[in-house]
Amino acid sequence: MKEFPKDFLWGGATAANQYEVGWNLGGKGPSTSDAMTNAAHMVPRKVTWMIPETGETGYAEMAFTVDMVFPEGAKVMPLDTGEYYYPSHKATDFYGHYKEDIALMAEMGFKTFRMSINWARIYPNGDDLEPNEEGLQFYENVFKECKKYGIEPLVTLSHYETPLGLVNNYGGFKNRACIGFFERYAKTCIERFAGLVKYYLTFNEINAMDMMPYMGGGLMDQSEQAKAQGAHNQFVASSLAVKAAHEYNEKNGTDIMIGMMLAYQPMYTYTCSPEDQILVMESQQRTLFFSDVQAGGYYPEYKLKEYERKGIELEIADGELELLAKYPVDFVSFSCYGSSTLTKQNVDRGFGNMFADQVQNPYLSANAWGWATDPACLRLACQTLYTRYRKPLWIVENGIGWSDVLEADGTVHDDYRIDYLRQNIKSMNDAINIDGVPLMGYTMWGCIDLVSAGTGEMKKRYGFVYVDMDDLGNGTLKRYKKDSFYWYKKMIASQGTDLD
Ligand code: BGP
């Protein structure tokens, strides 16, 4: 194995809604994730609501690519009827453990730590005129702790957390007012954390607007029209953040960089039928549309044609298309856990598939949630995204969910995770050393155990560090190092050459 570049940013990734807790502490307002219940594999999470005039309560089920339905007058909120468990209300307490957790990351040799700022901790209702100082102070303390160890934070501004005030009073990102609220929030962070934070991502998995628009942008109306406008509004909001950072850099001599974040996976055809090739091509377009706009700076023709066919009309203000062209992102980051295989043919589809037309790939093995491990996925992803945009890349999520077992002596033997990482790091090395892709860094998802976004479970664990907490929020929150902790530390120390 050849060495990774000297300045390669090794680390781990988290998100406030799954990790932080303190959901109503320190002046924080509620956000979309705080009204999401726990669930299980193939059992949808629920988003709870109340109709204030009548007191009626209920929920909308949330499933991948399936529209959610809310009744007229419903306001999304967590309910204290005792009927529901909301995992974000406990998560795994980064809020109370940040010093301990950052020390563990430093012990592994992290050069970077991807985390998210909870928007509603800074602007509790989303549309407030002044930020919440206590929230700003919390993150400042976190960033100072990172700095102590020479860990460079990579900060997502919106990771599946839209303040509920924006959802209930504005309809979420389908409303153009959210552009300005996000711009204000982004500017507040850029200015306040200058000198502490150099790298930002605007919207986590921005294509979630297409697949899970409630999580992606707080949409209750999930019509095609609302999703298209929601995406446009996020593109503009993101470009305004890039503009703000560039202007700040010019004035202050800083070098803040703003990236986009895409959920990406290579797609394979299950058969060599032309029909399946077109299926994969269209499925890729559905994903790459988001990076074409954010990294390419233009609306691709295939999307404009689709909007025309569907009768979707975007509200675009004067100068917005020019803004997208002038302020594309500085780098492209993405999550990639494996690949998907698609077919139109009538075959046995295996288990756990998230998309229509998806099928288990007979060449790959999958975890208990049906997520296939693909030793080629990172190289393929890097190749596609780099040749298309020619911007530096950053792999900000990759990892494997497993129901780890804590032994009586406090050890966790996660050799399956080490195997997974070995294959994926090798694939990344090929992207750099065979294909010449400029890759800035790698942050393994869920480096300290946290709640699953898809199912709200704790038992779908990803971390190098085990956290004693179960699916219903019972546990001591004590941290235990897994075998992969020591493996990752050794691998980083060898600059990626020691994968044994
Ligand atoms: C990505 C999200 C993360 C994360 C990860 C793993 O889509 O950005 O928030 O949770 O997927 O998914 P899950 O938690 O459902 O296993």
Side-chain angles (χ1 to χ4, degrees):
M1 285 279 284
K2 277 200 165 178
E3 282 200 355
F4 279 76
K6 286 275 167 293
D7 55 356
F8 191 75
L9 292 160
W10 294 105
T14 62
N17 79 89
Q18 290 155 265
Y19 184 36
E20 195 175 272
V21 79
W23 77 282
N24 57 1
L25 300 178
K28 179 185 167 299
S31 70
T32 42
S33 65
D34 298 325
M36 281 169 57
T37 68
N38 65 324
H41 183 37
M42 305 308 277
V43 177
R45 297 185 75 174
K46 301 178 172 91
V47 173
T48 53
W49 50 257
M50 180 188 269
I51 302 177
E53 292 75 34
T54 61
E56 190 193 338
T57 61
Y59 60 79
E61 288 190 346
M62 201 184 66
F64 209 63
T65 65
V66 177
D67 291 355
M68 296 168 74
V69 184
F70 292 91
E72 196 57 38
K75 302 283 181 201
V76 173
M77 63 182 77
L79 304 171
D80 54 11
T81 55
E83 237 173 302
Y84 306 103
Y85 175 63
Y86 300 97
S88 77
H89 296 200
K90 286 208 171 160
T92 50
D93 196 20
F94 177 63
Y95 199 68
H97 287 74
Y98 74 92
K99 289 191 179 171
E100 181 185 350
D101 287 0
I102 293 169
L104 285 163
M105 295 173 200
E107 191 183 332
M108 279 184 274
F110 277 27
K111 311 282 182 265
T112 188
F113 166 39
R114 176 177 177 226
M115 53 170 281
S116 70
I117 292 182
N118 200 323
W119 184 352
R121 193 176 289 293
I122 308 299
Y123 287 99
N125 303 295
D127 61 354
D128 316 71
L129 294 176
E130 295 302 324
N132 168 34
E133 177 54 33
E134 208 176 331
L136 289 168
Q137 195 57 56
F138 168 66
Y139 292 111
E140 192 175 312
N141 294 344
V142 168
F143 300 142
K144 284 187 173 154
E145 199 65 20
C146 289
K147 203 173 178 120
K148 205 164 106 185
Y149 297 103
I151 295 175
E152 197 72 64
L154 167 61
V155 175
T156 318
L157 288 168
S158 180
H159 190 131
Y160 295 161
E161 305 228 45
T162 306
L164 276 185
L166 299 185
V167 177
N168 290 328
N169 303 326
Y170 296 88
F173 259 95
K174 77 167 191 181
N175 189 325
R176 293 181 50 85
C178 288
I179 299 174
F181 300 140
F182 183 84
E183 184 189 14
R184 181 188 299 157
Y185 161 57
K187 277 185 171 162
T188 301
C189 295
I190 289 167
E191 288 167 21
R192 172 66 176 253
F193 304 128
L196 291 170
V197 178
K198 179 175 169 185
Y199 302 112
Y200 286 97
L201 305 176
T202 47
F203 295 94
N204 180 62
E205 298 190 328
I206 186 149
N207 43 330
M209 181 56 81
D210 175 31
M211 301 172 293
M212 299 177 298
Y214 172 79
M215 279 173 100
L219 259 57
M220 292 169 78
D221 165 5
Q222 307 198 337
S223 61
E224 297 257 0
Q225 174 68 42
K227 288 193 284 186
Q229 188 66 47
H232 178 76
N233 296 345
Q234 289 194 335
F235 296 148
V236 174
S238 182
S239 278
L240 286 168
V242 175
K243 179 171 184 274
H246 289 189
E247 287 174 357
Y248 188 90
N249 286 342
E250 250 164 58
K251 261 197 223 132
N252 300 284
T254 46
D255 52 359
I256 298 165
M257 291 173 77
I258 311 272
M260 65 161 299
M261 194 320 198
L262 186 71
Y264 185 81
Q265 49 181 350
M267 300 271 181
Y268 299 150
T269 53
Y270 184 67
T271 74
C272 48
S273 71
E275 200 186 12
D276 282 358
Q277 313 310 307
I278 294 294
L279 176 66
V280 162
M281 185 200 82
E282 289 182 348
S283 175
Q284 286 280 292
Q285 284 181 337
R286 195 169 166 178
T287 304
L288 293 171
F289 153 59
F290 289 84
S291 39
D292 282 350
V293 178
Q294 288 205 289
Y298 67 97
Y299 264 88
E301 292 75 6
Y302 59 80
K303 189 52 78 174
L304 296 175
K305 284 280 175 205
E306 181 190 326
Y307 286 169
E308 205 179 293
R309 274 196 309 276
K310 292 181 173 167
I312 291 171
E313 281 180 24
L314 291 183
E315 203 185 325
I316 301 178
D318 280 354
E320 275 180 357
L321 293 179
E322 293 72 16
L323 182 90
L324 298 178
K326 189 161 176 212
Y327 294 103
V329 288
D330 298 319
F331 63 97
V332 174
S333 84
F334 60 98
S335 60
C336 181
Y337 290 83
S339 56
S340 272
T341 304
L342 305 181
T343 185
K344 282 281 182 203
Q345 314 308 312
N346 188 13
V347 293
D348 175 10
R349 292 185 179 269
F351 72 104
N353 299 311
M354 294 201 287
F355 308 100
D357 301 324
Q358 198 179 351
V359 65
Q360 290 286 324
N361 184 328
Y363 295 94
L364 302 177
S365 62
N367 71 359
W369 286 265
W371 290 29
T373 297
D374 184 338
C377 70
L378 295 183
R379 182 177 175 195
L380 290 169
C382 286
Q383 184 60 18
T384 300
L385 295 172
Y386 183 63
T387 51
R388 200 160 172 128
Y389 307 117
R390 301 195 68 77
K391 286 187 184 283
L393 303 182
W394 195 332
I395 296 164
V396 296
E397 284 187 33
N398 170 255
I400 189 161
W402 210 276
S403 195
D404 297 326
V405 176
L406 178 67
E407 305 290 345
D409 62 359
T411 55
V412 177
H413 304 303
D414 56 343
D415 44 312
Y416 36 86
R417 181 164 295 110
I418 295 173
D419 282 346
Y420 175 95
L421 292 171
R422 198 177 273 132
Q423 293 179 11
N424 281 272
I425 290 169
K426 161 90 176 57
S427 180
M428 217 169 35
N429 194 314
D430 289 347
I432 296 173
N433 289 314
I434 299 179
D435 304 324
V437 170
L439 197 54
M440 297 167 74
Y442 172 83
T443 55
M444 203 280 295
W445 173 252
C447 49
I448 312 271
D449 282 350
L450 38 66
V451 174
S452 155
T455 65
E457 291 168 298
M458 256 317 295
K459 70 166 172 285
K460 191 181 185 192
R461 295 170 181 275
Y462 285 87
F464 298 120
V465 173
Y466 184 97
V467 179
D468 178 25
M469 174 64 94
D470 71 13
D471 285 343
L472 292 176
N474 305 304
T476 61
L477 289 169
K478 193 167 173 311
R479 275 72 171 141
Y480 299 87
K481 297 171 192 170
K482 302 181 193 176
D483 288 354
S484 57
F485 179 100
Y486 302 99
W487 183 88
Y488 199 58
K489 177 178 178 173
K490 184 167 66 80
M491 187 279 302
I492 293 177
S494 73
Q495 209 47 26
T497 56
D498 183 356
L499 299 183
D500 290 343

